[in-house]
């Protein structure tokens, strides 16, 4: 034990203490420097199913990291969760994260901390995030230019003990009333942009047994974990469990939607009943939706959703290509299943000349409690 203490003591470190004092010129524009940065800062392990923790932020800041990442997704009470969306990683509260950042931001270094926000939240929650930033960080938060006449970025010395927010703005001319969703094709390696995820069974080459693996399917690639000895889920936040593919075995593509909360089969009263349900659950906000079997087109479906105080209906069409049924809203974007189509439009926006909106909260099936 004493030997281990010595290994990690100051007396055994390689660092030359003469370098404790900054000798570089720290008065140049911020963009002239390399910045020690962290990706998926909140994770304590892999990006499929590991724990998220505020302690991960503490560790990074104490190691001298000056740019940390927050992946934000809609949460309860109007404030987001921070976690790796559409995976089995656990969730931590946004407010807990920023309070932890404030406490530990400048213990190791006085130079500015940049919060890189990957924002998947609705606009109401984004506004609450902005308010929380101001309330928690106070004067530490940089909200105005250091010099209004400046023609370049301020220097690290000018930004000492400041918190900077790095975040994308809404596109020029975009109406803030509509829910926005990221649609960046360059993010193909970002698992939070998955179109499907769940449990994948692969045959082991040695014992010829089928072993479970957690997988994430993006538009271009599929990723999966090493063998899972036991497939577990995070039940602490049941309200968001509908983001994960249910555990199913020997289920065809055409049956994947049967167990989904948003699928209402043929509600008594059809279109009118769907409208009544959306009015009843309108408190969930724009993007509240349900799917039902079409009354007019046999084998097709109807998507009904709430937007700006009104019920809207879309025809989900189907056609057969090479013996396989394809589902679509527009004939240039086809899906192998109804489930895949809905998953897509819960992360990518529905587009029309009038609006841009993602599907959000499902209307629970009749007779099924909403959790």
């Amino acid at each position: 034990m004493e030997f281990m203490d010595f290994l990690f003591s100051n007396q055994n470190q390689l660092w030359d203490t003469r370098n404790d004092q900054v000798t570089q010129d720290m008065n140049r524009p911020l963009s002239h420097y390399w910045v020690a940065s962290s990706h998926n800062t909140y994770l304590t392990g892999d990006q499929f199913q590991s724990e998220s923790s505020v302690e991960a932020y503490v560790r990074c800041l104490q190691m001298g990291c000056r740019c940390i990442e927050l992946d934000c997704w809609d949460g309860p009470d109007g404030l987001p969760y921070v976690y790796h969306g559409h995976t089995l990683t656990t969730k931590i509260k946004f407010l807990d994260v920023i309070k932890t950042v404030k406490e530990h931001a400048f213990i190791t270094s006085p130079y500015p901390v940049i919060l890189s926000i990957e924002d998947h939240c609705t606009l109401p929650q984004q506004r609450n995030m902005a308010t929380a930033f101001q309330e928690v960080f106070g004067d530490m938060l940089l909200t105005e230019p250091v010099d209004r006449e400046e023609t370049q970025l301020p220097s690290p010395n000018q930004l000492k003990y400041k918190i900077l927010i790095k975040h994308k703005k809404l596109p020029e001319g975009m109406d803030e009333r509509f829910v926005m969703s990221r649609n960046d094709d360059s993010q193909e390696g970002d698992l939070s942009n998955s179109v499907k995820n769940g449990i994948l069974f692969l045959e082991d080459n040695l014992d010829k047994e089928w072993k479970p693996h957690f997988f994430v399917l993006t538009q271009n690639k599929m990723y999966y974990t090493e063998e899972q000895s036991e497939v577990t889920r995070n039940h602490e936040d049941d309200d968001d469990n509908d983001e994960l593919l249910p555990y199913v075995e020997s289920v065809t593509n055409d049956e994947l939607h049967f167990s989904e909360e948003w699928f209402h089969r043929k509600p008594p009263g059809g279109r009118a009943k769907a409208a009544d349900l959306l009015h009843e659950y309108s408190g969930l906000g724009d993007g509240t939706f349900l799917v039902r079997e079409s009354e007019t087109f046999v084998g097709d479906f109807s998507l009904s959703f709430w937007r700006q105080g009104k019920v809207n209906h879309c025809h989900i069409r189907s056609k057969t290509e090479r013996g396989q049924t394809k589902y679509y809203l527009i004939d240039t974007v086809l899906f192998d299943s109804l489930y895949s189509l809905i998953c897509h439009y819960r992360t990518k926006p529905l587009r029309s000349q009038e609006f841009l909106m993602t599907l959000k909260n499902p209307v629970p099936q009749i007779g099924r409690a909403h959790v």
Side-chain angles (χ1 to χ4, degrees):
M1 187 66 181
E2 292 180 358
F3 178 69
M4 292 294 292
D5 289 341
F6 171 72
L7 282 178
F8 291 97
S9 69
N10 290 334
Q11 287 72 27
N12 192 48
Q13 65 178 343
L14 293 174
W15 178 254
D16 187 343
T17 55
R18 289 176 297 182
N19 293 319
D20 284 344
Q21 300 299 319
V22 177
T23 57
Q24 292 87 358
D25 178 9
M26 304 303 287
N27 293 305
R28 301 183 66 81
L30 189 63
S31 56
H32 288 198
Y33 299 85
W34 294 102
V35 179
S37 303
S38 168
H39 178 59
N40 291 345
T41 311
Y42 47 89
L43 291 179
T44 59
D46 66 65
Q47 59 180 339
F48 287 99
Q49 58 181 358
S50 66
E51 296 287 326
S52 302
S53 173
V54 294
E55 295 303 319
Y57 287 94
V58 175
R59 182 179 67 248
C60 282
L61 291 168
Q62 290 181 345
M63 292 173 67
C65 196
R66 297 289 90 188
C67 180
I68 55 181
E69 184 179 31
L70 287 75
D71 285 7
C72 300
W73 300 78
D74 278 1
D77 304 321
L79 283 171
Y81 283 124
V82 174
Y83 78 112
H84 207 230
H86 304 311
T87 66
L88 296 179
T89 56
T90 59
K91 303 170 185 176
I92 52 179
K93 293 182 178 180
F94 167 80
L95 201 56
D96 291 342
V97 171
I98 62 174
K99 287 179 178 179
T100 299
V101 170
K102 178 185 179 181
E103 184 178 351
H104 296 272
F106 304 109
I107 291 177
T108 302
S109 169
Y111 293 112
V113 170
I114 302 169
L115 303 188
S116 178
I117 310 299
E118 185 172 307
D119 202 335
H120 302 266
C121 297
T122 54
L123 287 174
Q125 296 223 358
Q126 290 186 39
R127 295 189 184 98
N128 293 341
M129 288 168 62
T131 301
F133 280 137
Q134 294 174 318
E135 291 178 351
V136 171
F137 293 134
D139 293 339
M140 297 166 62
L141 185 67
L142 186 70
T143 57
E144 297 180 353
V146 174
D147 180 357
R148 293 195 176 276
E149 303 299 324
E150 64 189 11
T151 57
Q152 58 189 11
L153 291 176
S155 70
N157 274 339
Q158 290 177 298
L159 295 171
K160 278 186 175 180
Y161 301 105
K162 287 293 185 181
I163 304 287
L164 281 60
I165 306 296
K166 180 164 71 76
H167 188 286
K168 288 185 178 180
K169 292 184 177 180
L170 286 174
E172 194 69 29
M174 177 57 63
D175 191 333
E176 285 194 3
R177 294 174 298 173
F178 302 134
V179 179
M180 293 296 297
S181 174
R182 288 181 54 196
N183 190 17
D184 187 352
D185 294 335
S186 67
Q187 302 291 330
E188 71 169 66
D190 183 358
L191 302 188
S192 64
N193 285 330
S194 64
V195 296
K196 185 179 291 187
N197 54 57
I199 307 303
L200 172 70
F201 283 82
L202 298 177
E203 185 179 19
D204 190 290
N205 290 331
L206 296 177
D207 58 20
K208 301 303 180 182
E209 292 184 1
W210 292 87
K211 303 293 180 63
H213 304 256
F214 179 71
F215 81 94
V216 174
L217 179 66
T218 69
Q219 291 286 354
N220 303 304
K221 294 182 180 179
M222 184 174 73
Y223 304 83
Y224 61 90
T225 62
E226 296 297 325
E227 176 188 337
Q228 304 297 297
S229 56
E230 181 179 357
V231 178
T232 59
R233 292 174 182 264
N234 174 29
H235 291 289
E236 296 176 0
D237 303 292
D238 289 336
D239 57 322
D240 289 304
N241 279 351
D242 52 39
E243 293 179 358
L244 300 177
L245 178 66
Y247 177 77
V248 292
E249 190 170 2
S250 300
V251 176
T252 66
N253 277 349
D254 290 336
E255 297 174 340
L256 285 173
H257 58 275
F258 285 174
S259 62
E260 290 299 308
E261 188 176 20
W262 42 259
F263 183 58
H264 287 242
R265 297 181 182 268
K266 288 185 177 180
R271 182 187 179 100
K273 180 62 177 178
D276 290 343
L277 287 170
L278 284 164
H279 277 281
E280 181 180 349
Y281 286 90
S282 60
L284 296 177
D286 283 2
T288 301
F289 74 100
L290 62 84
V291 177
R292 55 190 171 83
E293 295 180 16
S294 174
E295 297 176 284
T296 307
F297 303 95
V298 178
D300 286 356
F301 299 92
S302 293
L303 168 64
S304 303
F305 60 91
W306 183 263
R307 186 184 75 85
Q308 293 191 337
K310 294 182 180 179
V311 176
N312 298 261
H313 303 278
C314 291
H315 178 199
I316 301 176
R317 297 173 170 83
S318 64
K319 64 180 178 179
T320 302
E321 285 190 353
R322 298 177 182 177
Q324 184 177 6
T325 303
K326 301 286 186 178
Y327 300 87
Y328 61 97
L329 291 175
I330 54 175
D331 56 13
T332 56
V333 184
L334 305 178
F335 300 91
D336 293 336
S337 66
L338 176 63
Y339 177 89
S340 298
L341 182 148
I342 296 300
C343 284
H344 175 83
Y345 289 111
R346 295 187 77 177
T347 57
K348 300 291 189 294
L350 294 165
R351 298 173 182 272
S352 78
Q353 294 180 344
E354 298 178 357
F355 64 86
L356 184 71
M357 187 191 74
T358 53
L359 300 177
K360 292 296 179 181
N361 297 302
V363 173
Q365 296 173 7
I366 300 172
R368 178 174 175 177
H370 181 62
V371 289

